[in-house]
């Protein structure tokens, strides 16, 4: 229901108060079983304007249409599409077409209505004598936020059953009074409760009835709430006089259970967490996604870590991490044997895209699932569910992926309501209204898209269209503004539960580590707090960071456990240097006991962010799970592959006709290998752009090679050497040899010239400088490289920039007009800073980044500071901006 107050009835014999739900109405009026329709099939009919959308996004389209139909239905008084008059609307308007289509859907399939509204339809058609038991109402007027159909239902029930006796109504009013009274007048809490929704309440100074705290995340919120409740109980407050206002999120349920169980405090009304999620449905859905070629990376990664896989959890984690890094043929797969190997090959094979082909693949997969004893029940359930899938495929001549996904979609486990009891801290969930009052209320989750939840726009109706509809027809469909006003009023009433104090907790970080903005409610509450002549306070000013407060001001009991008598160091040293006391370059050792080799890309990370480099060395870098996308790294890998095969070693240069003919097929091969998602039709524009860029770059690269009289002596050449006192390894995209024996190390880049040229001129290029150092002091070389280095040739470096087909060269004098020559030491600044970093990490120190570093690397060094975004910890532990930064800015002196 939209109304904030549910319809309530009282049993005349027992005096028990009950909410009038659709289930109670169905039992009382013997409502028939709700009609069931296949909404997806209906909407796919070409007669409806949404059929095209169903072909692209069936789940989202069906959900949007279903929500719009409900909004339309509850705006009527009789739940009848014929009462919706469209004659006053423009027949060519978008509003008319959508309303007309919804009415047609309603008439054609009454079962498209939600089940509760189907029950209401039946009740409105009944007589009072049809009711099996009396449902006397305790309120003579519906809630002010009730929809037209809720008002009509209230009137119908009032006509059938009348009002409860005066004694019962007075009893109900007495029960509700404490919940709706709020705090004593004049307190900060009273002003927040009255002024939240804009009431004309003068601001006033902050007192102890209102408090704001910023905490790390939801786990720390739960610990705070338990500690705060314990302090209140220690001071004589009963547990049932303490309440928690909690977001409707399973993470909060789990954290509160953990924290309060650890504190030994009973907690009442907290939903029960489900024992486990629907592993069977998840695995079946992921298999289908992988069988619908090309398989999305996230589907493969999710499948690999399923508990039903025929390999260990460790292997599954390795496979998934590699896939999410863009390696679709993971190294970990090479060690698979037996059924694990057969299952992996099945998933990565070309499955026939027919009903029979998919069914055979599913049945093979079912036979290869885990044989572990603890998974036997789940595997049996998987094979049982496969029977439903078999029936779906057997009756289809062509693949209906939407239908298959509908069968496979896992059920979403939701916390189940728990029994509320008297002696316990009360939990009030976000979507509920109070079931008892509390003296002290702790409101959690005051960050991000909460309190109130943001209102998403309807794909079918604009707010302006709904206002026009109200003006023309009187039909009142709730707008986004109406929804937001209702949610704000609900929050205000939830705050009314507290009579003595309200503590607002803001988690600064989400569970994934991203920073969250304060919830809108904090600003609305803050405006009720006065600051003398300055007017109202700002929410950020009122917010207390618990870690910044002196411990004597913490609102709970605490003790500090020290492992030694030495004072504990602060979390972040004031000088921004972490001292670990050991050589970090030797954290990873090779088989021969020497330090592991560093690649140029790793060393660039070290140069930009020692913390990001250290996290990578420790294996603690995050692997982001995100949908497939064409970024610069993927595009670069594809371009490298095409150019490598187009210009093989020891082969004559192809002519331009050969390039025109070969590039499309080579591009297709590269996409299949490195970015199979690009084979989907929705990426057609990006693929055409890639083809155009790579083909143009290939023609120009051919001209460059001819102009330099250069020969490709190897592609993707592995280099190992020593420089700066450390061991290096890398892979150069291409190695060229000129007629005089000089060598050019080539790096193909899917980028443009201006930034790269500026970086070279400023002396901040690191990668090619390190490649040149490896060639000067190589360790392992093959016959080709040994012969090329035999005469101690000059070594130059080249950037081939694909986006604008430019070539930058340094270190060798080429023929005039062939390439752009960069003079000077292109790596001097970068090498100087890298040497400093190597000394620091070799001594066991990690210099944290400052807030100035991003600007410096982007503007001064012209380096893309990817390392600053490699982990949320890098930005979390950045030092404040300083006027000078000895570690970076002095490099230019």
């Amino acid at each position: 229901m939209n109304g904030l107050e549910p319809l309530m009835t009282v049993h005349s014999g027992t005096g028990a108060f009950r909410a009038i739900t659709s289930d109670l109405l169905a039992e009382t009026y013997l409502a028939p079983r709700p009609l069931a329709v296949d909404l997806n099939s209906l909407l796919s009919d070409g007669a409806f304007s949404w059929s095209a959308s169903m072909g692209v996004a069936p789940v989202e389209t069906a959900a949007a249409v279903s929500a719009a139909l409900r909004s339309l239905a509850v705006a009527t008084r009789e739940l009848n599409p014929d009462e919706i008059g469209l004659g006053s609307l423009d027949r060519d308007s978008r509003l008319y077409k959508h309303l007309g289509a919804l009415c047609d859907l309603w008439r054609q399939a009454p079962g498209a209505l939600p089940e509760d509204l189907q029950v209401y339809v039946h009740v409105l058609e009944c007589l009072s004598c049809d009711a099996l038991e009396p449902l006397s109402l305790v309120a003579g007027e519906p809630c002010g936020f009730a929809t037209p159909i809720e008002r009509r239902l209230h009137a119908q029930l009032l006509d059938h059953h009348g009002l409860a006796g005066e004694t019962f109504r007075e009893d109900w009013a007495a029960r509700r009074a404490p919940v709706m009274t709020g705090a004593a007048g004049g307190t900060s809490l009273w002003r927040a409760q009255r002024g939240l929704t804009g009431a004309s309440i003068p601001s006033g100074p902050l007192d102890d009835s209102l408090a704001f705290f910023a905490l790390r995340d939801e786990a720390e919120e739960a610990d705070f709430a338990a500690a705060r409740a314990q302090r209140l109980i220690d001071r004589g407050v009963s547990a049932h006089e303490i309440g928690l206002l909690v977001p409707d999120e399973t993470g909060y349920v789990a954290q509160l259970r953990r924290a309060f169980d650890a504190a030994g405090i009973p907690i009442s009304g907290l939903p029960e967490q489900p024992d486990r999620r629907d592993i069977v449905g998840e695995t079946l859905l992921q298999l289908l996604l992988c069988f619908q070629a090309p398989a999305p990376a996230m589907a493969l990664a999710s499948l690999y870590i399923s508990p039903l896989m025929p390999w260990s959890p460790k292997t599954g984690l390795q496979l998934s991490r590699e896939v999410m890094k863009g390696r679709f043929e993971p190294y970990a797969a090479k060690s698979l044997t037996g059924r694990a190997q057969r299952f992996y090959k099945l998933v990565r094979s070309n499955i026939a895209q027919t009903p029979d082909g998919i069914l055979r693949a599913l049945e093979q997969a079912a036979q290869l699932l885990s044989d572990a004893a603890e998974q036997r029940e789940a595997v049996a359930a998987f094979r049982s569910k496969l029977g439903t899938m078999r029936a779906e495929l057997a009756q289809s001549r062509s693949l209906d992926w939407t239908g298959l996904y509908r069968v496979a979609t896992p059920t979403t486990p939701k916390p189940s309501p728990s029994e509320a009891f008297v002696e316990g801290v009360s939990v009030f969930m976000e979507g509920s209204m109070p079931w008892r009052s509390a003296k002290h209320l702790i409101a959690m989750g005051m960050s991000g898209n909460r309190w109130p939840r943001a209102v998403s726009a309807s794909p079918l109706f604009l707010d302006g269209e709904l206002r026009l509809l109200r003006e023309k027809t009187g039909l009142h469909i709730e707008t986004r503004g109406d929804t937001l006003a209702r949610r704000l009023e609900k929050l205000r009433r939830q705050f009314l539960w507290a009579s003595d104090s309200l503590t607002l907790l803001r988690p600064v970080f989400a569970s994934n580590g991203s920073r969250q903005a304060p919830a809108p409610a904090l600003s609305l509450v803050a405006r009720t707090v006065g600051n003398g002549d300055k007017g109202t306070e700002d929410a950020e000013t009122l917010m207390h960071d618990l870690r910044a407060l002196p411990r004597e001001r913490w609102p709970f009991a605490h003790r500090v456990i020290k492992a030694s008598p030495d004072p504990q160091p602060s979390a972040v040293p004031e000088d921004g240097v972490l001292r670990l006391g050991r050589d970090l370059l030797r954290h990873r050792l090779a088989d021969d006991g020497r330090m592991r080799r560093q690649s140029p890309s790793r060393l660039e990370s070290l140069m930009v962010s020692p913390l990001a480099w250290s996290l990578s060395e420790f294996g603690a870098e995050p692997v982001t799970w995100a949908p497939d996308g064409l970024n610069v790294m993927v595009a670069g890998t594809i371009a490298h592959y095409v150019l490598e095969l187009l210009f093989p070693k020891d082969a004559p240069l192809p002519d331009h006709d050969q390039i025109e003919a070969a590039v499309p097929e080579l591009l297709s091969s590269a996409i299949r290998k490195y970015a199979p998602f690009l084979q989907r039709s929705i990426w057609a524009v990006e693929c055409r752009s890639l083809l155009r860029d790579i083909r143009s770059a290939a023609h120009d690269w051919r001209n460059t090679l001819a102009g330099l009289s250069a020969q490709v002596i190897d592609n993707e050449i592995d280099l190992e050497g020593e420089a700066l006192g450390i061991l290096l390894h890398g892979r150069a995209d291409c190695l060229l040899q000129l007629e005089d024996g000089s060598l050019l190390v080539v790096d193909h880049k899917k980028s443009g010239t201006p930034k790269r040229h500026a970086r070279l001129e400023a002396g901040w290029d690191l990668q090619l400088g390190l490649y040149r150092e490896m060639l000067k002091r190589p360790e392992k070389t093959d016959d080709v490289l040994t012969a090329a280095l035999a005469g101690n040739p000059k070594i130059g470096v080249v950037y081939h920039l694909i986006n604008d087909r430019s070539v930058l060269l340094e270190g060798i004098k080429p023929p005039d007009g062939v390439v752009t020559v960069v003079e000077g030491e292109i790596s001097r600044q970068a090498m100087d800073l890298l040497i400093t970093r190597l000394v620091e990490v070799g001594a066991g120190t990690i210099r944290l980044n400052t807030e100035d570093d991003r600007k410096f690397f982007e503007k001064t060094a012209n380096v893309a500071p990817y390392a600053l975004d490699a982990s949320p910890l890098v930005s979390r532990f950045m030092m404040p901006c300083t006027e000078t930064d000895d570690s970076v800015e002095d490099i230019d002196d």
Side-chain angles (χ1 to χ4, degrees):
M1 285 192 173
N2 280 16
L4 300 182
E5 298 291 339
L7 293 176
M8 298 296 298
T9 183
V10 59
H11 193 279
S12 58
T14 64
F17 292 96
R18 294 179 296 171
I20 298 179
T21 64
S22 59
D23 288 341
L24 178 58
L25 289 173
E27 293 173 1
T28 302
Y29 285 91
L30 291 179
R33 189 183 302 275
L35 300 173
V37 299
D38 186 348
L39 188 59
N40 291 62
S41 297
L42 274 174
L43 298 180
S44 299
D45 190 326
F48 291 106
S49 57
W50 310 293
S51 58
S53 299
M54 288 295 294
V56 178
V59 175
E60 295 81 358
T61 302
V65 172
S66 181
L69 179 60
R70 181 183 183 88
S71 298
L72 175 63
V74 299
T76 66
R77 286 187 51 80
E78 301 294 337
L79 282 175
N80 188 332
D82 294 333
E83 68 179 281
I84 302 172
L86 305 180
S88 58
L89 300 178
D90 180 1
R91 298 180 64 87
D92 294 327
S93 67
R94 176 178 177 272
L95 175 61
Y96 181 93
K97 292 176 181 177
H98 278 154
L99 282 173
L102 286 173
C103 290
D104 290 341
L105 174 63
W106 190 351
R107 292 187 186 95
Q108 182 177 332
L113 283 180
E115 291 186 1
D116 60 332
L117 296 188
Q118 293 187 49
V119 173
Y120 293 174
V121 171
H122 176 74
V123 172
L124 293 178
E125 294 173 347
C126 287
L127 302 175
S128 59
C129 60
D130 295 326
L132 297 183
E133 65 170 305
L135 298 177
S136 303
L137 302 183
V138 297
E141 295 293 334
C143 170
F145 285 87
T147 61
I149 190 56
E150 290 168 347
R151 293 177 180 275
R152 177 68 181 87
L153 182 64
H154 180 277
Q156 179 86 337
L157 295 176
L158 193 62
D159 181 57
H160 284 189
H161 306 282
L163 280 174
E166 185 175 352
T167 303
F168 289 126
R169 284 184 280 129
E170 289 176 352
D171 184 18
W172 178 249
R175 295 189 186 196
R176 298 292 298 162
V179 179
M180 302 301 294
T181 301
T187 63
S188 293
L189 176 54
W190 175 82
R191 282 189 291 271
Q193 291 170 336
R194 266 58 185 180
L196 182 70
T197 55
S200 177
I201 302 294
S203 61
L206 184 66
D207 58 34
D208 292 341
S209 66
L210 189 62
F212 304 75
F213 288 96
L215 300 162
R216 185 189 63 230
D217 53 22
E218 60 191 35
E220 195 166 272
E221 280 187 281
D223 292 331
F224 180 103
R228 175 64 176 152
Q230 185 63 64
R231 165 63 69 87
L232 292 170
I233 292 171
D234 292 343
R235 291 181 173 179
V237 177
S238 298
H240 72 268
E241 295 176 321
I242 304 169
L244 306 175
L245 181 58
V246 183
D248 284 327
E249 299 173 16
T250 56
Y252 276 95
V253 174
Q255 294 294 352
L256 284 172
R257 179 69 67 191
R258 173 195 58 79
F260 277 77
D261 283 352
I265 302 173
I267 188 166
S268 175
L270 184 69
E272 297 291 340
Q273 281 283 84
D275 292 336
R276 59 184 301 177
R277 65 184 197 267
D278 184 5
I279 298 295
V280 171
E282 290 179 10
T283 304
L284 183 55
L285 177 62
Q286 290 150 9
L287 267 174
L288 284 174
L289 288 168
C290 293
F291 288 164
Q292 186 183 12
M298 286 182 65
L300 286 168
S302 300
L303 179 66
Y304 291 158
I305 59 174
S306 168
L308 302 189
M309 293 299 98
W311 45 64
S312 67
K314 181 179 179 181
T315 299
L317 182 61
Q318 291 173 334
L319 291 170
S320 66
R321 286 176 67 89
E322 288 193 65
V323 167
M324 291 315 301
K325 288 181 178 180
R327 196 174 298 125
F328 285 86
E329 299 298 333
Y331 298 136
K334 298 177 181 178
S335 62
L336 297 177
T337 59
R339 67 193 299 145
Q341 184 185 62
R342 294 196 300 274
F343 184 91
Y344 176 80
K345 288 184 176 180
L346 172 66
V347 171
R348 298 302 295 140
S349 63
N350 293 320
I351 306 297
Q353 301 293 289
T354 64
D356 286 343
I358 297 300
L359 181 57
R360 282 196 301 271
L362 287 172
E363 290 177 337
Q364 290 178 47
Q367 298 305 314
L368 294 172
L369 293 177
S370 172
D371 58 356
E374 62 271 18
Q375 298 300 339
R376 286 175 185 168
E377 183 179 344
V379 171
F382 180 93
R383 291 169 180 165
S384 175
K385 191 166 186 175
L386 196 57
T388 307
M389 188 68 67
R390 187 180 295 110
E392 182 78 20
L393 287 165
Q395 62 186 10
S396 302
R397 293 186 177 180
S398 60
L399 274 176
D400 176 15
W401 287 107
T402 301
L404 296 179
Y405 291 147
R406 190 163 57 250
V407 172
T409 298
T411 57
T412 303
K414 295 181 179 179
S416 56
S418 65
E419 292 295 330
F421 50 89
V422 175
E423 290 303 325
V425 173
S426 306
V427 174
F428 308 122
M429 300 306 292
E430 174 186 0
S432 65
M433 292 303 290
W435 49 276
R436 70 180 177 191
S437 61
K439 286 186 176 181
H440 304 278
L441 182 65
I442 302 172
M444 306 175 69
M446 289 285 161
S447 291
N449 180 27
R450 309 186 189 104
W451 311 115
R453 298 278 180 180
V455 185
S456 58
S458 167
L460 274 72
F461 300 121
L462 302 176
D463 278 6
E465 293 174 330
L466 296 180
R467 287 190 290 269
L468 177 65
L469 179 66
R470 190 178 311 173
E471 175 187 334
K472 295 285 189 180
T473 68
L475 196 65
H476 190 152
I477 297 178
E478 193 174 62
T479 65
R480 295 173 69 193
D482 296 332
T483 305
L484 184 59
R486 172 166 51 82
R487 292 179 181 178
L488 275 174
E489 175 59 20
K490 184 174 189 175
L491 179 59
R492 189 190 73 82
R493 295 191 189 189
Q494 288 170 328
F495 282 175
L496 284 174
W497 304 344
S499 60
D500 289 15
S501 74
L502 172 63
T503 303
L504 300 168
L505 305 185
R506 177 202 165 191
V508 177
F509 296 99
S511 56
N512 64 359
S514 61
R515 185 176 289 271
Q516 301 181 105
L522 289 177
S523 297
L524 298 175
V525 173
R527 71 183 182 184
T528 67
V529 179
N531 187 16
D533 296 335
K534 296 181 181 179
T536 58
E537 279 283 17
D538 178 76
E540 290 292 339
T541 305
L542 295 169
M543 191 67 58
H544 295 300
D545 183 346
L546 191 65
R547 289 176 173 76
L549 283 178
R551 288 176 179 149
E552 58 270 15
R553 291 183 58 192
W554 286 3
F556 43 75
H558 61 277
R559 62 193 178 101
V560 178
I561 301 175
K562 294 185 178 180
S564 68
D566 298 329
Q568 295 293 313
S570 61
V572 179
E574 292 184 1
D575 62 357
V577 178
L578 305 179
R579 294 171 175 83
L580 304 188
R582 59 175 176 168
D583 186 350
L584 301 182
L585 290 168
R586 296 185 178 275
H587 174 73
R588 301 188 309 149
L589 298 178
D591 294 337
D592 59 4
R594 296 193 298 173
M595 69 174 68
R596 290 279 291 272
R597 297 181 181 276
Q598 297 286 330
S599 67
S601 59
R602 273 187 179 272
L603 292 176
E604 185 168 300
S605 292
L606 173 60
M607 180 185 77
V608 173
S609 174
L611 178 57
W613 174 85
S614 301
L615 292 172
S616 179
E617 289 292 298
F618 298 147
E621 74 275 24
V623 176
T624 303
W625 283 47
D628 296 319
L630 181 62
N631 55 39
V632 65
M633 301 295 290
V634 174
T637 300
I638 291 172
H640 291 177
Y641 179 89
V642 174
L643 292 174
E644 175 188 349
L645 296 183
L646 198 57
F647 299 95
K649 66 177 182 179
D650 300 329
L653 294 177
D655 59 35
H656 291 289
D657 290 338
Q658 290 173 321
I659 291 174
E660 281 290 320
V663 167
E665 180 54 38
L666 290 176
L667 177 60
S668 297
S669 176
I671 287 173
R672 286 192 297 271
K673 183 173 183 179
Y674 297 109
F677 65 90
L678 289 177
Q679 297 174 80
R680 296 184 183 273
S681 59
I682 60 173
W683 293 99
V685 173
E686 288 79 3
C687 287
R688 286 196 293 270
S689 178
L690 263 180
L691 176 61
R692 181 179 61 251
D693 289 347
I694 294 175
R695 185 160 48 197
S696 298
H699 284 298
D700 286 352
W701 183 238
R702 190 258 179 226
N703 293 338
T704 299
L705 295 178
L708 293 172
S709 299
Q711 179 185 5
V712 177
I713 62 172
D714 212 345
N715 284 298
E716 292 293 316
I717 182 170
D718 290 319
L719 302 176
E720 290 187 1
E722 182 180 348
L724 308 179
I726 61 173
L727 302 177
L728 302 173
H729 77 92
R731 176 173 290 178
D733 292 340
C734 180
L735 189 63
L736 303 178
Q737 189 172 48
L738 304 186
E739 290 181 327
D740 63 358
S742 300
L743 299 180
L744 290 178
V745 184
V746 179
D747 191 7
H748 301 295
K749 289 291 185 184
K750 186 68 173 66
S751 59
T753 303
K755 292 283 287 187
R756 183 70 55 174
H757 199 171
R759 181 195 302 189
L760 297 174
E761 289 186 328
W764 279 99
D765 187 78
L766 184 66
Q767 190 164 347
L768 286 185
L770 290 173
Y771 280 132
R772 179 157 47 192
E773 293 298 320
M774 281 188 271
L775 285 173
K776 289 179 179 178
R777 287 179 291 277
E779 286 199 358
K780 295 180 179 180
T781 59
D782 57 19
D783 294 341
V784 173
L785 189 57
T786 300
L789 295 172
N792 194 23
K794 290 183 178 180
I795 301 175
V797 293
V798 168
Y799 276 113
H800 174 212
L801 303 163
I802 294 171
N803 284 2
D804 50 15
R805 307 183 298 282
S806 178
V807 177
L808 302 177
L809 181 149
E810 187 272 340
I812 290 177
K813 179 66 175 176
D816 292 338
V818 178
V819 298
T820 301
V821 178
V822 181
E823 304 288 350
E825 299 181 41
I826 63 172
S827 303
R828 181 177 65 86
Q829 301 282 8
M831 288 291 192
D832 288 348
L833 179 55
L834 178 59
I835 290 170
T836 301
R837 300 295 201 212
L838 289 170
V839 170
E840 290 175 342
V841 297
T845 62
I846 301 173
R847 184 174 297 277
L848 300 177
N849 290 100
T850 72
E851 295 172 349
D852 295 322
D853 283 352
R854 185 179 298 275
K855 179 180 178 181
F856 171 81
F857 283 111
E858 289 180 345
K859 303 298 183 183
T860 303
N862 291 288
V863 173
Y866 295 120
L868 297 182
D869 301 315
S871 168
L873 295 177
V874 175
S875 58
R876 178 67 181 88
F877 292 103
M878 276 187 177
M879 302 302 293
C881 296
T882 56
E883 292 184 5
T884 60
D885 184 347
D886 296 337
S887 68
V888 173
E889 294 188 4
D890 289 350
I891 295 294
D892 286 332
D893 294 342

